[in-house]
């Protein structure tokens, strides 16, 4: 049966973006305000991502920020999109998320990624002698599941709190490797199509074709994250999106900066090569008014048949960002 936008959950990925002229403290205040509004607008989840050594991303202590958001909201699910597990001991993550689940029962998600969430030099500073920890990612996911299990109560190493708690684990990915792991473990799969769309369709097909039902999940479940900038008019949305384009230009050039205000045109700001590279990374980006987004997102859903859409919005002005998420919620509600 063809899926409709109005029938699937819609969620938020907050990259805790620091904007030009502001500090991380301002970001955290705005994130909580957005989460509170998103809860009222019917958003299903609010996820934060682990990144390090990035001037424009403030969610390096991801578990702490999740607690801040969950503590200021009432019903929306809050979690990680994701925790970069090779950066951590599985036991420590089990304890952290066991604490979060104990504080906010029934509301915590644990999304796990394999990448370092940073550059190699910073990864060395984080991992030390565990630089090859990514190779043991599948085994570490299993260790984490074991720590959460009630059966682990007889073990000599236990996660307190954490043991016996039902905390949904997700596998995050931007390639086909993660798809095979999520399928083999029977876990829900979230794909980072907001910045790495190249293998998206291949990966979700591999996941669905190889999925093995588990105690956690009986059928495959795909969440796709996309960039969205909504406004009253297409022209206004396209202008607001230039902040996103400038951010990705920084990724392409390696010259990162705080999120910049929108500009009338990107001409003269990026080269043809930078534009081409950024557009490849931003293939799953949707801008426009409600009518435009309703049409384009339904086409995306028709093509991918994902079970849930998660959206991230790099918009400079906080009020414009709130407006974007409000308009988007109306698209999903068919208003």
């Amino acid at each position: 049966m063809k899926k409709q936008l109005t029938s699937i959950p819609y969620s938020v990925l907050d990259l805790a973006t620091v904007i030009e002229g502001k500090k991380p403290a301002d970001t955290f205040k705005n994130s909580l305000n957005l989460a509170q509004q998103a809860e009222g607008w019917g958003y299903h989840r609010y996820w934060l991502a682990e990144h390090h050594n990035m001037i424009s991303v403030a969610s390096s202590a991801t578990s702490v920020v999740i607690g801040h958001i969950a503590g200021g909201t009432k019903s929306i699910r809050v979690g990680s999109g994701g925790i970069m597990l090779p950066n951590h001991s599985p036991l420590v993550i089990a304890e952290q998320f066991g604490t979060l689940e104990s504080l906010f029962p029934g509301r915590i998600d644990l999304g796990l990624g394999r990448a370092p969430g940073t550059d190699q030099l910073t990864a060395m500073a984080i991992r030390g002698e565990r630089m090859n920890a990514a190779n043991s990612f599948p085994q570490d996911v299993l260790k984490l599941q074991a720590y959460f299990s009630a059966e682990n109560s007889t073990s000599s190493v236990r996660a307190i709190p954490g043991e016996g708690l039902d905390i949904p684990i997700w596998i995050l990915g931007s390639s086909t490797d993660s798809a095979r792991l999520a399928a083999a473990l029977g876990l829900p799969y979230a794909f980072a199509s907001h910045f790495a769309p190249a293998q998206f369709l291949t990966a979700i097909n591999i996941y669905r074709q190889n999925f093995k039902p588990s105690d956690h999940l009986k059928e495959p479940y795909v969440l796709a994250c996309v960039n969205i900038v909504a406004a009253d008019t297409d022209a206004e949305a396209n202008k607001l999106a230039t902040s996103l384009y400038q951010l990705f230009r920084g990724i392409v050039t390696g010259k990162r900066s705080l999120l910049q205000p929108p500009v009338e045109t990107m001409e003269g700001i990026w080269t043809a090569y930078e534009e081409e590279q950024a557009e490849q990374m931003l293939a799953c980006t949707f801008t426009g008014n409600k009518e435009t987004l309703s049409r384009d997102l339904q086409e995306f859903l028709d093509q991918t048949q994902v079970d849930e859409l998660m959206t991230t919005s790099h918009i400079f002005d906080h009020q414009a960002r709130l407006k974007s998420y409000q308009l988007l919620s109306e698209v999903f509600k068919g208003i």
Side-chain angles (χ1 to χ4, degrees), residues 14 25 48 53 80 88 92 120 168 175 216 237 239 241 254 281 285 295 301 307:
D14 181 4
L48 295 128
N53 196 29
S80 61
H88 311 274
V92 170
Q120 287 301 304
S175 69
H216 311 285
K239 180 178 179 180
M281 298 173 73
T285 299
R295 180 193 68 230
L301 185 57
D307 301 289

Side-chain angles (χ1 to χ4, degrees), residues 18-268:
V18 185
I19 65 174
E20 185 66 46
K22 300 293 184 179
K23 298 182 181 299
D26 302 302
T27 296
F28 298 140
K29 290 177 184 176
N30 288 342
S31 289
L32 180 55
N33 181 236
L34 172 59
Q36 291 168 337
Q37 298 296 325
E39 184 172 70
W41 293 327
Y43 284 86
H44 186 48
R45 309 176 201 278
Y46 196 100
W47 280 6
L48 295 128
E50 177 186 347
H51 292 285
H52 301 278
N53 196 29
M54 295 184 184
I55 188 173
S56 63
V57 181
S59 52
S60 54
T62 318
S63 301
V64 178
V65 186
I66 290 171
H68 173 61
I69 299 299
T73 52
K74 297 177 180 178
S75 59
I76 194 169
R77 297 194 65 87
V78 188
S80 61
I83 290 291
M84 301 298 109
L85 190 55
N87 292 346
H88 311 274
S89 152
L91 175 61
V92 170
I93 294 302
E95 292 170 337
Q96 289 179 2
F97 277 77
T99 301
L100 288 167
E101 175 65 21
S102 298
L103 289 167
F104 312 105
R107 295 181 54 207
I108 300 299
D109 294 328
L110 175 52
L112 301 172
R114 186 196 309 253
T118 187
D119 59 89
Q120 287 301 304
L121 191 62
T122 307
M124 289 177 64
I126 294 170
R127 297 179 181 178
E129 295 179 357
R130 299 178 63 252
M131 265 306 287
N132 295 320
N135 295 334
S136 61
F137 180 64
Q139 292 79 12
D140 284 347
V141 174
L142 293 175
K143 285 182 183 178
L144 195 49
Q145 289 182 315
Y147 285 132
F148 285 140
S149 70
E151 292 75 19
N152 201 58
S153 61
T154 58
S155 172
S156 56
V157 179
R158 301 167 65 185
I160 310 294
E163 187 177 288
L165 297 181
D166 182 17
I167 303 172
I169 291 178
W170 294 66
I171 300 297
L172 275 59
S174 56
S175 69
T176 55
D177 288 346
S178 55
R180 295 184 190 281
L181 178 62
L185 297 180
L187 294 174
Y189 184 45
F191 197 90
S193 37
H194 61 296
F195 75 88
Q199 298 187 55
F200 172 49
L201 292 176
T202 302
I204 62 175
N205 284 335
I206 288 173
Y207 169 68
R208 287 167 173 155
Q209 290 167 6
N210 294 276
F211 181 84
K212 296 180 180 178
S214 68
D215 292 340
H216 311 285
L217 194 65
K218 300 307 178 189
E219 296 179 346
Y221 191 97
V222 175
L223 178 153
C225 187
V226 298
N227 300 290
I228 293 185
V229 179
D232 288 328
T233 67
D234 287 354
E236 183 183 358
N238 290 335
K239 180 178 179 180
L240 291 174
T242 58
S243 295
L244 171 67
Y245 303 152
Q246 291 176 80
L247 186 72
F248 270 73
R249 175 185 178 270
I251 295 173
V252 170
T253 62
K255 299 176 181 177
R256 298 176 182 269
S257 64
L258 301 178
L259 188 67
Q260 298 298 302
V263 293
E264 292 297 334
T265 176
M266 287 294 292
E267 288 185 19

